[in-house]
Amino acid sequence: MPRKSFVPGAALVAAAALAVGLTGCTGGSGPDGSGADAKDGGAASSNPAAEPGRYQTLPEACGLPSRSAIRGMLPGDGQPLSDAEADKVYGGQADITYDTDRRVGCRWTRETTAGTRHIGLDIQRVVSYDGAVSDDDKAQGIYDDKELAAQIPSGAGSPSPTASSPSASKDKSQDNDKGTGAVPNGASSPKGKAPSGSPSPTSDPSAEPSGSTAPRVLDGLADAAFLNDKLVTADSGVHRDVTVVFRTSNVIVTLTYDQWSTDKTMLPDSQELQDKARSLAGDLADNLSE
C-alpha cells in the first residue's frame, strides 16, 4: 500500500490551534491579544508613568549667584582689590564633576587679617528611574534624609530674620565694590571697641545660637528648606558653619557659609551669617525659577 504524503500546512494549522487553546487556559494575553510583561502582571500598560521633574539641565554654578551678593558675603578689611584679585575672589572656583546635567558646584574664599570666609554651593538634579515615583518625590526623599541627618527640630519654621534684622540692613549699607563691608568679628576697631552688633567675648565658644537664629525649618523658601548653624572650635581657632538646604522640584541646593577666626574669644556672628546665607538662598531659588 502506498504511503500517504505529509502535508505541512495541515500540521501548522493544528499547532496554531493548540497554542491558542493553551493561551486561553492560562490567561496570559493582554486585552489586545499581545503578551503582557511578566514582571508587572500586565498592570504597567494601565498605569501612567510618574511625572518628570521640572529641571532637565543645570546652570553653571559659579555664575548663578550675582557678583554683588558674593561680594557682600566676603567682606574685606579695608583694602581694595585689583581687578584681577576681584575676579579671582568673586568669580569662584568650579567643582570638578563628571556630569554637569546632574551635579554642579562652586567655591568662593576670601582671607583677611581678621579671618577667612568661605561660600560653598552644591546643586544636584535628581532623576527617578522608578516609573511609579516622580522625580520630585525622589528629590523630596533625599531632602528629608538631609534634614534628618542635620537633626533639625520638628515643627513650624520661623520667619526669615533678613527683612527686619538690624545687622542685615547695616551689612547691606556697608558693602561696596572695593570689597569693604561689615568688620568681621575678631577684627580690631577704633579705641579697641568691638564692632557694633558683635557678640561679647565668651569663655564658652561651644554655645549654640538660640531663638530666631537656631537651626530650623525655613518657611517661604522653594518647596522645602531648612537652616543649620554650628559653632566649631579647633586648635587653629573657631569657626561658625551655616548651611541652607532647599528643594525646588527635582533640584536640591546646598549652600554653606562659614567664617573662621583665630581669636577663640571672638565668635563669628550667627545672626549676620544666617541673614546673608538665607538672602543668597532666596536669590538662588529665584534664579533657578527663571
Side-chain angles (χ1 to χ4, degrees):
M1 180 183 297
R3 295 183 179 181
K4 294 182 179 180
S5 61
F6 179 70
V7 183
L12 290 175
V13 171
L18 178 61
V20 170
L22 291 175
T23 302
C25 295
T26 58
S29 63
D32 59 354
S34 61
D37 191 340
K39 63 183 178 182
D40 59 18
S45 59
S46 61
N47 292 335
E51 288 292 327
R54 173 181 180 179
Y55 301 95
Q56 301 300 312
T57 60
L58 290 176
E60 195 274 314
C62 293
L64 189 62
S66 67
R67 180 68 67 94
S68 60
I70 296 299
R71 184 167 55 245
M73 297 175 71
L74 301 176
D77 49 8
Q79 298 297 321
L81 297 174
S82 67
D83 291 342
E85 291 172 332
D87 287 341
K88 181 178 180 180
V89 171
Y90 305 131
Q93 178 65 47
D95 290 347
I96 298 175
T97 59
Y98 299 98
D99 187 349
T100 55
D101 281 338
R102 293 297 299 274
R103 196 161 205 153
V104 293
C106 191
R107 300 289 180 268
W108 296 263
T109 300
R110 187 169 189 185
E111 298 180 2
T112 68
T113 56
T116 302
R117 295 199 189 199
H118 305 88
I119 304 171
L121 177 60
D122 178 83
I123 308 174
Q124 177 186 4
R125 184 174 70 91
V126 178
V127 177
S128 172
Y129 294 102
D130 185 342
V133 180
S134 69
D135 292 346
D136 285 18
D137 288 343
K138 179 70 173 180
Q140 182 64 40
I142 295 175
Y143 168 87
D144 291 340
D145 290 341
K146 290 178 178 289
E147 183 178 317
L148 182 63
Q151 299 181 334
I152 302 300
S154 60
S158 58
S160 169
T162 303
S164 59
S165 168
S167 63
S169 301
K170 174 173 172 286
D171 291 336
K172 289 181 180 179
S173 65
Q174 289 181 332
D175 292 333
N176 55 55
D177 289 342
K178 292 184 179 180
T180 59
V183 179
N185 293 333
S188 60
S189 58
K191 298 182 182 179
K193 295 182 180 179
S196 175
S198 298
S200 301
T202 176
S203 59
D204 183 16
S206 63
E208 287 295 322
S210 59
S212 63
T213 61
R216 63 197 182 279
V217 171
L218 294 175
D219 294 331
L221 176 59
D223 295 320
F226 69 84
L227 181 149
N228 202 8
D229 186 327
K230 291 185 178 181
L231 190 65
V232 181
T233 57
D235 293 339
S236 57
V238 60
H239 62 98
R240 183 177 293 283
D241 303 332
V242 173
T243 303
V244 176
V245 178
F246 68 85
R247 178 186 73 82
T248 173
S249 185
N250 61 318
V251 164
I252 297 175
V253 176
T254 301
L255 171 66
T256 58
Y257 183 35
D258 64 75
Q259 178 182 353
W260 286 74
S261 174
T262 56
D263 186 351
K264 294 183 181 181
T265 66
M266 298 298 292
L267 304 184
D269 189 348
S270 175
Q271 185 76 62
E272 179 206 354
L273 297 185
Q274 288 198 24
D275 284 347
K276 290 184 174 181
R278 172 63 179 83
S279 178
L280 180 58
D283 291 345
L284 295 173
D286 291 341
N287 292 342
L288 282 169
S289 299
E290 291 178 353

